[in-house]
Amino acid sequence: MRTSRNARHTLFAPFLTVVSAALLLTGCGSGSDGAAGSGAAGVAAGSDAVPTTDVVSGIRKDEAAAALLPAGTGRLTVAVSVGGTPPSTTYLADGKTLTGQDVDLTKAVGKVLGIELSVEQASFEAILPALDSGKYDFGASNFGVTDERRRTIDFVTYINDGQGFAVRDDSKLSKVTDLRQLCGLNVATGAGTTFEATLEENKHVCTDAGKKAYAVQTYSEPGAIWSSLQQGRSDIVMSTINGLRYAVAHQSGVRFLNEYHRLDVGFAFKKGSKLAPAFQAAVNRLIADGTYDKILKKWGTTGSAITRSQISPPESKE
């Protein structure tokens, strides 16, 4: 779902830009880890436009939240994975300016805390393992909060997204409520994601029922996921609720099937990070002053709003 394999460095000040030229994304795809919403505000279905409303530049530093940072914190390194389509992190038409819901929320938190954010791009699956080594201070790539991840990672939640499905218009599937409905099918999803983990861990439900197991097809390129579905090499896509809704609204021949499992999504830190309380306070400040709502309206994800940020809550069972 996230594609950039080579780390690249830049700053969130005042905008996210990539110092080297980047490939423009031409295929619609889902983010890896976003939630309900039918498309970005002001963007019509079938349009490839990306929302450009500035919803963060006017944010002021909150001294109370900033006081929670470890002494001497002035700049933090954040790892992001680029390669999805809105609301996930992608590029504007110039091919170098990063945008997306995670981008806006990360920039907004940085402003509340009065810090600079140095950005490094990495593949989605490489970010979480690198946090413990100190390579990055935190990750901001729509990471779902799971009990498995909480063993080694701390999270500060900022949205409630989850897992869902999409199919071609000619599919006979109408809703997936049990993974046994996928038996014998080819399921496309992003590499290193909660979707891949869910599918791999539950393959046995088919063989336990005496049925042919479904095949898990993983891709790092979101465009490849949708090409696989459109061309019939895959029967169904499992990805984020928000990403799927956006993707099907911006391409023909596919439809959103249903939500399967909700997950809180958050900034990711190494276990025991002293940064988490400050980030939690910053997110709660954004919720209280209305900036949070503006960001979600921009990206069409108000159905995923949370009322308060939490630090590493238990995995949602919805």
Side-chain angles (χ1 to χ4, degrees):
M1 290 185 188
R2 313 287 190 177
T3 60
S4 182
R5 294 279 175 179
N6 298 317
R8 285 177 290 180
H9 176 272
T10 184
L11 294 175
F12 280 117
F15 298 103
L16 280 158
T17 54
V18 179
V19 294
S20 57
L23 294 175
L24 288 174
L25 302 172
T26 57
C28 284
S30 67
S32 68
D33 299 50
S38 58
V43 181
S47 167
D48 290 327
V50 176
T52 56
T53 305
D54 179 7
V55 290
V56 300
S57 64
I59 298 172
R60 304 291 184 183
K61 179 179 179 180
D62 183 282
E63 297 296 342
L68 297 174
L69 288 169
T73 304
R75 175 182 293 186
L76 297 175
T77 299
V78 53
V80 301
S81 181
V82 185
T85 57
S88 298
T89 301
T90 186
Y91 296 103
L92 289 177
D94 61 9
K96 59 183 180 180
T97 304
L98 294 178
T99 190
Q101 179 172 263
D102 293 331
V103 171
D104 280 346
L105 286 166
T106 303
K107 288 166 62 178
V109 166
K111 284 185 168 292
V112 170
L113 297 177
I115 55 175
E116 288 188 339
L117 296 170
S118 178
V119 183
E120 291 201 14
Q121 294 182 43
S123 63
F124 178 80
E125 59 269 32
I127 295 175
L128 295 184
L131 293 175
D132 190 57
S133 69
K135 183 175 183 179
Y136 314 120
D137 293 305
F138 71 102
S141 287
N142 204 32
F143 291 108
V145 181
T146 67
D147 290 338
E148 177 66 27
R149 284 175 172 173
R150 289 194 308 126
R151 293 190 179 100
T152 56
I153 300 292
D154 280 342
F155 294 93
V156 171
T157 62
Y158 58 79
I159 202 166
N160 179 259
D161 194 1
Q163 303 171 335
F165 293 98
V167 294
R168 291 186 303 277
D169 283 342
D170 61 4
S171 174
K172 295 180 179 179
L173 286 170
S174 60
K175 190 173 185 180
V176 174
T177 58
D178 189 315
L179 293 183
R180 281 174 290 192
Q181 294 172 258
L182 304 180
C183 296
L185 300 181
N186 293 322
V187 187
T189 195
T193 62
T194 59
F195 318 114
E196 180 185 8
T198 295
L199 291 167
E200 292 292 353
E201 289 169 7
N202 290 282
K203 264 187 175 181
H204 65 88
V205 299
C206 294
T207 53
D208 289 350
K211 299 180 180 180
K212 181 181 178 181
Y214 52 74
V216 183
Q217 301 171 320
T218 58
Y219 300 90
S220 291
E221 296 283 347
I225 294 176
W226 292 102
S227 293
S228 178
L229 182 68
Q230 292 273 25
Q231 295 170 11
R233 288 179 282 110
S234 299
D235 301 298
I236 189 168
V237 171
M238 187 179 191
S239 190
T240 64
I241 296 166
N242 280 342
L244 290 173
R245 287 185 184 278
Y246 188 95
V248 302
H250 290 76
Q251 60 181 319
S252 61
V254 293
R255 57 187 168 89
F256 179 74
L257 200 57
N258 66 284
E259 296 183 12
Y260 177 71
H261 176 51
R262 281 276 181 164
L263 280 176
D264 288 315
V265 168
F267 298 111
F269 306 83
K270 70 178 180 179
K271 197 70 178 176
S273 172
K274 296 184 183 301
L275 295 170
F279 274 68
Q280 180 191 29
V283 174
N284 284 331
R285 158 66 190 278
L286 294 170
I287 293 172
D289 70 14
T291 303
Y292 177 78
D293 185 59
K294 291 178 182 178
I295 293 172
L296 268 57
K297 282 182 178 178
K298 173 181 176 179
W299 297 106
T301 58
T302 54
S304 294
I306 59 174
T307 56
R308 66 184 182 90
S309 177
Q310 300 181 75
I311 297 177
S312 299
E315 181 177 345
S316 171
K317 301 305 179 185
E318 292 182 50

